Amino acid sequence: MSLVVQKYGGTSVGDPERIRRVAQRVVETAEGGDAVCVVVSAMGHTTDELIELAAQVSRDPHPREMDMLLTAGERISMALLSMAINDLGHNAVSFTGSQAGIVTDTTHGKAKIVEVRSARVREALEEGKIAIVAGFQGVSTARDVTTLGRGGSDTTAVAMAAALEADVCEIYTDVDGVYTADPRLVPGARKLRQVSFEEMLDLSANGAGVLALRSVEYARTHGVKLHVRSSFKPDEGTWVVKEEDVLEQAIVSGIAHDTGEAKVTIRAVPDRPGVAGRTFRPLAEAGINVDMIVQNTSVAGLADISFTLPESDLARAEPILEQLARAIDAEGFTCEREIAKVSVVGAGMRSNPGVAAAIFEALADEGINIEIISTSSIRVSCVVPARDAERAVNVIHERLRLADNVLLQADGV
Ligand code: ADP
Ligand code: ASP
Ligand code: MG
């Protein structure tokens, strides 16, 4: 008998009919002889609606109360799914994150799981019950209810799978796997059979919302077998595997895009040792994650420094930047919100030069201006105007022939 963790996302449990369909699928798995622990997200757009509701009541909702509110979403779906399964003649029992033993740190809104005390869920499974766990939530070391950040039910699922030593963690969603690009944006995107943890980390970190970044990190660290698949179709989806287990390594695996970042330029910074440290230290101390830092060559002893940061952190960053521009004798700073980061990810880029050039040429041919470029050994990211993001992803997808299942040769690109 295997132990399976199945996670169903918001769309998959979006209405009563879909909840009954999920119940049916869970029951089929149980009847096949597997022990099943199910993790559920809030129904449809419930989380967005609750955030909106809070905004109508308070200008700056208290983080603890915000988490209390948001966890209600997953609580609704866990109870409804449990009822639907019980109606099918199986014994299901639901647990909040706290009851399931998900212990987190105290950072409301994006808490990190520090421990999973899975005894209660394990007991239920041993009694032959189907355990339903509310995703996206836990209880902090200070005994307050916390949430794990948007998309956090994926992380709950992986953490439960690790704690229960499950044979597989299945992420059921509204697409049938991980694609070469968001299939909503690129109609010709192709489903990947496998993707390595390293590539998936880069895709998730750069905007591919199909798997939450932390869930991929957690799965890699704890050796959880991860299978992303459709909740509406029975087909095999995408397996996230160790790099050495990838059967066919394409040069490029996928393209992600992120419109949630903003670009800051600090102008005419005196070019002397210590300035970069003084610039980024106060931002780091405020917990603001900056990315894609570029400093141009100095003209007359002055250089511009540009970088990106999450748009949601911009309001907090602005007063810090004002102070710091004065402190380092810079001319001032500018912020641009209407940008997008387009990232091309593939482990095969390590040994195949030419991909970056092909990406830049594809953008140039379309007249899309690149504002910042950054690269790692398996990723090339370009900041482009937000209005060009969709076109940029499509033209790069086409230029790199990602729709065809070919192992690209760089010089053929
Ligand atoms: P769930 O509610 O099931 O967690 P999400 O909306 O969080 O679902 O994630 C699934 C969505 O991720 C898809 O509908 C798709 O639009 C988007 N997505 C972005 N990039 C990719 C990709 N590379 N492959 C598949 N889906 C992607
Ligand atoms: N309901 C939460 C969200 O919308 C968590 C999740 O769906 O994974 O972000
Ligand atoms: Mg999700």
Side-chain angles (χ1 to χ4, degrees), residues 7 9-10 41-42 44 46-48 70 74 135-136 149-154:
K7 178 257 171 179
S41 289
T46 302
T47 308
D48 291 329
L70 295 189
E74 270 67 13
F136 173 61
R150 297 307 303 267
S153 299
D154 296 337

Side-chain angles (χ1 to χ4, degrees), residues 58 124 190 196 339 343 380 388 408:
S58 161
R190 177 175 48 86
S196 70
I339 60 145
S343 302
V380 175
D388 294 332
L408 287 178

Side-chain angles (χ1 to χ4, degrees), residues 260-265 283 288-290 307-322 333-339:
E261 300 240 317
K263 177 183 154 195
V264 171
T265 301
L283 293 167
I288 296 169
N289 251 330
V290 303
F307 56 90
T308 60
L309 79 182
E311 206 178 334
S312 54
D313 284 340
L314 198 54
R316 256 178 343 116
E318 268 168 341
I320 299 172
L321 289 165
E322 245 157 57
F333 70 94
T334 51
C335 302
E336 271 176 77
R337 289 169 187 271
E338 297 303 308
I339 60 145

